[in-house]
Amino acid sequence: MTTTPSTFQLDIPEGLVTGTTVFRDEVTLHASKVTVLALLAHLKDVQKFEMLTDETCVDYYPKEPRFGILYQLYSLSRNIRVRVKVMLSEYDAVIPSACSVYRNANWLEREVYDLFGIVFEDHPDLRRILMPSDYQGHPLRREIPVQVEENAFSFNRARIDAEKPRATE
Amino acid sequence: MVNETTKISEQALIVENSPQNVVNTEDVQLDITMEQLKKLVSPRALTGETMLLNMGPQHPSTHGVLRLLLELDGETVINCIPDIGFLHTGIEKTAESKNFLKAIPLTDRTDYLAPMSNNLAFCGAVEKLVGIDVPQRAQYLRVILMELTRMNSHLVWLGTHALDIGAMSVFLYCMREREMILDVYEAVSGARMMSSFIRPGGLWRDVPANFGSLVQKILDVFPRRVGEYDKLLKDNPMWKERTVGVGKISAEDAIAWGMTGPCLRGSGVNYDVRKAAPYSSYDHFEFSVPLGTNGDVYDRYRCRLDEFEQSMSIIRQAMKKLTPGPVMTDDRKVAPPPKHEIAYSMESLIHHFKLWTEGFRAPEGEVYFAVESGKGEYGVLLSGDGSPKPRRVHMRAPSFNNLQPLGVMSQGCLLADLVAIIGSVDIVLGDVDR
């Protein structure tokens, strides 16, 4: 069984974490974007969280700060999971890239950049990954309506623009 | 940031006074800028000394619509840059506009070769978020279906992987065996592929009377058939030449790149979600996790083939443990009442109406729930906002994460070996792009 939070203790240096919450036996460490890299490096090197299972974003619109970046970490040797959460404002959606700590953050961050428009500083290869490279906007933001888009994968931009459905509000 | 579609400007690629060393830009249309390309390929590609070759998205060996931008020196792969997104259908976005029950059919379509695993990952996340208990019979039935799904996924993998490398007959045998598993799918859910059978709180309905005999038929036939595949391939010198020592990745690298499933276990790392965090009563069963040592294509093949036996052993144990009982939770707030109750109970009628018009509400918060699908750790990160619809559904797709180190695995290999490596990673593009 994965150890429940009551039975494991994380000794994290002062100042790296702003708070800890436990929901459904899952531990979430809250950090700011200034300390997140130091926290991730500490968790990886000292606390033996070798694997970055997942990194994604949740849009809490209309709350502000709006975006929550979630890092899902797993420790193979200790068999525990922990989540790191960093809140970002819509007007300052920039966060340091975790690629220097966890290599596989590369594609995961590209996906978050593509779908949410979060910019990752010092990312080695920050470009769109799922949407076409000439796509405008970031589709997983809450204000974008669910809609059908014809010819999404064509590089004929004039035709895409002509056939693009527009929000009518 | 990147809005301009840029083709390599011809001037940039012409080396002075050497007109023969010009990359034909008409052949390689790139959707990245020159600056970005420079970071991905070696400087030799820009002078035309090495060749940039586009493989896919319509290429039979890329298992769907995977596009690879290859930098080749003769037949040696210098750099391999995967380009994905051709099958991006916005499943995560669509799921946000549907209530929890209606989002289940979407999960079928991510990893479409293992629909039940995806159902379980999503429903498990919903159950964790809302706090639903699942009856024991439903848990054991889920285990049986999960293992059948794993075998289904591995059969398609084995068939197509062997076909890529040149063993045609294995493909035909695998498809023959897969039919038996699809028959079970059809018997329980009515659909052969997009089952949507697992629901929050249990299963859609109990399995039909012939379920036992259909599964028994598989258990009777399979061990011999798996032995046959092994005989065809295991000691086949051509198979070994194509797979042993090809596409090696060390245990440290595999962990650092976030690989899971047989790709990670092929490198000798013992990580299986079924053992690490047992879900759906997997801790009631005895099974072992096959491990490789070298982390090459052959070891990944070995791991998957050994998993067939373990899956069958789990199914045998689960069939013995199966006792009659309910397959859906009796919590009427999340599970629909039985049809006959609606006729005489006002409360059941209200519950039914509320469930089918609005759905059930989930509390505010995030949960992460992972299952071990045939390809690796399939996790669902679910964020509720107090309404009947999820705020965010994120699928942690094993194919997406296993595909990322393809460039690392294939560096310095031959182009023909690249095909073997893609096959051994076992990707489904629906899962990669979601």
Side-chain angles (χ1 to χ4, degrees):
Chain A
M1 277 306 264
T2 311
T3 327
T4 47
S6 52
T7 55
F8 79 81
Q9 288 294 318
L10 297 171
D11 297 317
I12 293 169
E14 281 289 309
L16 288 183
V17 174
T18 56
T20 310
T21 52
V22 179
F23 177 69
R24 304 282 187 236
D25 282 352
E26 292 182 0
V27 182
T28 306
L29 306 173
H30 298 264
S32 74
K33 69 178 184 180
V34 183
T35 57
V36 64
L37 274 195
L39 176 62
L40 289 176
H42 170 80
L43 287 172
K44 188 188 179 191
D45 300 331
V46 182
Q47 307 277 359
K48 301 282 171 243
F49 284 92
E50 303 98 341
M51 202 186 261
L52 175 68
T53 311
D54 198 7
E55 177 178 349
T56 188
C57 178
V58 179
D59 188 353
Y60 294 93
Y61 181 82
K63 285 181 198 161
E64 184 62 36
R66 177 178 163 178
F67 297 111
I69 307 286
L70 305 177
Y71 302 81
Q72 189 78 36
L73 307 181
Y74 177 66
S75 169
L76 280 164
S77 43
R78 299 168 72 189
N79 192 17
I80 45 177
R81 287 184 195 279
V82 75
R83 188 184 301 137
V84 176
K85 187 169 177 180
V86 183
M87 296 304 291
L88 290 181
S89 162
E90 180 180 357
Y91 308 103
D92 187 22
V94 182
I95 187 171
S97 164
C99 289
S100 54
V101 185
Y102 292 103
R103 266 178 274 173
N104 64 325
N106 190 327
W107 276 23
L108 297 166
E109 287 179 349
R110 277 178 67 190
E111 187 184 318
V112 173
Y113 160 72
D114 187 358
L115 302 178
F116 287 95
I118 312 286
V119 175
F120 291 90
E121 280 174 337
D122 302 323
H123 190 282
D125 181 25
L126 193 65
R127 55 195 167 92
R128 288 190 182 274
I129 186 165
L130 295 179
M131 302 304 287
S133 59
D134 56 350
Y135 187 83
Q136 307 272 332
H138 302 284
L140 237 60
R141 289 189 172 201
R142 294 288 277 187
E143 75 264 21
I144 309 279
V146 178
Q147 59 185 17
V148 179
E149 187 164 310
E150 303 281 336
N151 294 325
F153 283 91
S154 151
F155 290 109
N156 187 343
R157 242 172 299 141
R159 197 173 154 204
I160 291 178
D161 278 347
E163 297 187 5
K164 195 176 267 182
R166 309 259 174 212
T168 47
E169 295 162 73
Chain B
M1 197 168 149
V2 189
N3 291 327
E4 288 302 307
T5 305
T6 318
K7 287 163 75 178
I8 296 181
S9 89
E10 228 166 87
Q11 269 80 28
L13 294 175
I14 297 174
V15 181
E16 275 179 58
N17 303 328
S18 55
Q20 72 274 22
N21 285 346
V22 176
V23 174
N24 187 355
T25 53
E26 294 306 313
D27 293 346
V28 192
Q29 190 184 21
L30 298 161
D31 52 337
I32 52 180
T33 61
M34 200 63 199
E35 288 305 310
Q36 291 164 344
L37 185 70
K38 274 181 189 162
K39 282 191 263 178
L40 298 172
V41 297
S42 73
R44 287 160 57 196
L46 304 177
T47 62
E49 194 182 335
T50 54
M51 180 168 63
L52 286 177
L53 184 76
N54 197 24
M55 180 171 168
Q58 277 81 32
H59 188 286
S61 295
T62 55
H63 290 239
V65 284
L66 169 68
R67 172 176 169 242
L68 302 170
L69 180 62
L70 302 175
E71 184 190 348
L72 298 173
D73 183 3
E75 251 191 282
T76 313
V77 178
I78 309 285
N79 273 306
C80 165
I81 303 141
D83 179 16
I84 61 173
F86 293 90
L87 207 59
H88 178 56
T89 42
I91 283 174
E92 290 173 2
K93 178 80 180 173
T94 317
E96 285 173 14
S97 63
K98 302 201 177 298
N99 67 35
F100 292 104
L101 200 61
K102 288 176 184 167
I104 297 171
L106 291 169
T107 63
D108 286 330
R109 284 148 180 84
T110 55
D111 179 358
Y112 44 77
L113 297 178
M116 297 266 192
S117 308
N118 316 342
N119 289 168
L120 183 57
F122 181 75
C123 294
V126 175
E127 283 155 11
K128 198 172 179 182
L129 182 64
V130 182
I132 309 170
D133 288 325
V134 181
Q136 196 61 54
R137 179 177 169 83
Q139 295 199 16
Y140 287 151
L141 281 172
R142 282 177 175 191
V143 167
I144 296 171
L145 293 168
M146 283 289 287
E147 293 308 316
L148 286 174
T149 305
R150 189 183 320 283
M151 286 157 70
N152 179 11
S153 164
H154 283 359
L155 279 172
V156 179
W157 158 78
L158 179 63
T160 50
H161 183 39
L163 189 63
D164 282 347
I165 298 184
M168 177 78 191
S169 45
V170 181
F171 176 74
L172 300 172
Y173 293 138
C174 286
M175 287 296 140
R176 179 186 66 187
E177 262 68 272
R178 181 168 176 256
E179 282 300 298
M180 293 196 292
I181 295 175
L182 294 185
D183 285 345
V184 177
Y185 276 24
E186 192 177 359
V188 297
S189 73
R192 290 171 75 81
M193 273 184 84
M194 304 301 164
S195 54
S196 304
F197 184 58
I198 295 170
R199 303 285 164 90
L203 304 171
W204 170 43
R205 60 175 186 189
D206 206 343
V207 291
N210 65 344
F211 177 73
S213 62
L214 283 171
V215 173
Q216 193 54 46
K217 199 174 131 200
I218 294 175
L219 293 177
D220 291 342
V221 171
F222 239 77
R224 205 185 70 233
R225 298 274 168 86
V226 175
E228 279 173 14
Y229 311 147
D230 226 15
K231 253 187 224 163
L232 277 171
L233 298 174
K234 189 176 72 180
D235 297 320
N236 182 333
M238 280 193 317
W239 178 263
K240 288 188 104 168
E241 197 149 305
R242 292 297 305 274
T243 56
V244 176
V246 172
K248 272 193 179 180
I249 188 158
S250 69
E252 292 75 37
D253 279 349
I255 293 170
W257 282 107
M259 293 176 96
T260 47
C263 295
L264 181 65
R265 296 195 283 272
S267 299
V269 183
N270 190 351
Y271 174 57
D272 187 319
V273 186
R274 292 175 294 173
K275 289 276 189 195
Y279 51 89
S280 193
S281 297
Y282 260 108
D283 44 343
H284 297 186
F285 304 101
E286 278 177 22
F287 61 98
S288 63
V289 179
L291 293 178
T293 46
N294 300 324
D296 56 6
V297 175
Y298 186 77
D299 276 21
R300 294 196 272 274
Y301 154 78
R302 208 52 266 161
C303 279
R304 290 199 180 92
L305 226 63
D306 291 346
E307 277 183 14
F308 277 121
E309 275 162 44
Q310 297 303 324
S311 291
M312 283 184 284
S313 149
I314 294 171
I315 295 172
R316 262 185 223 109
Q317 295 172 44
M319 289 299 280
K320 275 196 197 120
K321 283 182 199 272
L322 213 53
T323 46
V327 292
M328 194 63 164
T329 173
D330 54 4
D331 182 357
R332 292 281 186 268
K333 298 294 173 200
V334 292
K339 190 107 186 187
H340 63 87
E341 242 178 55
I342 298 173
Y344 61 83
S345 162
M346 188 63 198
E347 208 162 283
S348 291
L349 189 66
I350 294 169
H351 279 141
H352 182 268
F353 180 75
K354 282 291 272 183
L355 273 175
W356 297 129
T357 51
E358 183 189 324
F360 53 86
R361 288 169 183 272
E364 178 128 14
E366 278 107 38
V367 292
Y368 177 80
F369 183 83
V371 301
E372 182 75 23
S373 90
K375 295 172 179 66
E377 177 177 340
Y378 190 102
V380 169
L381 188 130
L382 193 64
S383 173
D385 59 355
S387 77
K389 291 173 184 173
R391 175 190 281 134
R392 170 96 167 100
V393 184
H394 176 70
M395 282 104 177
R396 189 259 179 219
S399 304
F400 181 84
N401 288 273
N402 291 347
L403 181 66
Q404 190 174 183
L406 181 69
V408 180
M409 280 191 278
S410 61
Q411 241 160 26
C413 75
L414 295 176
L415 182 55
D417 289 341
L418 178 64
V419 170
I421 297 170
I422 298 169
S424 77
V425 174
D426 188 16
I427 50 164
V428 160
L429 266 295
D431 200 23
V432 175
D433 296 343
R434 285 155 285 139

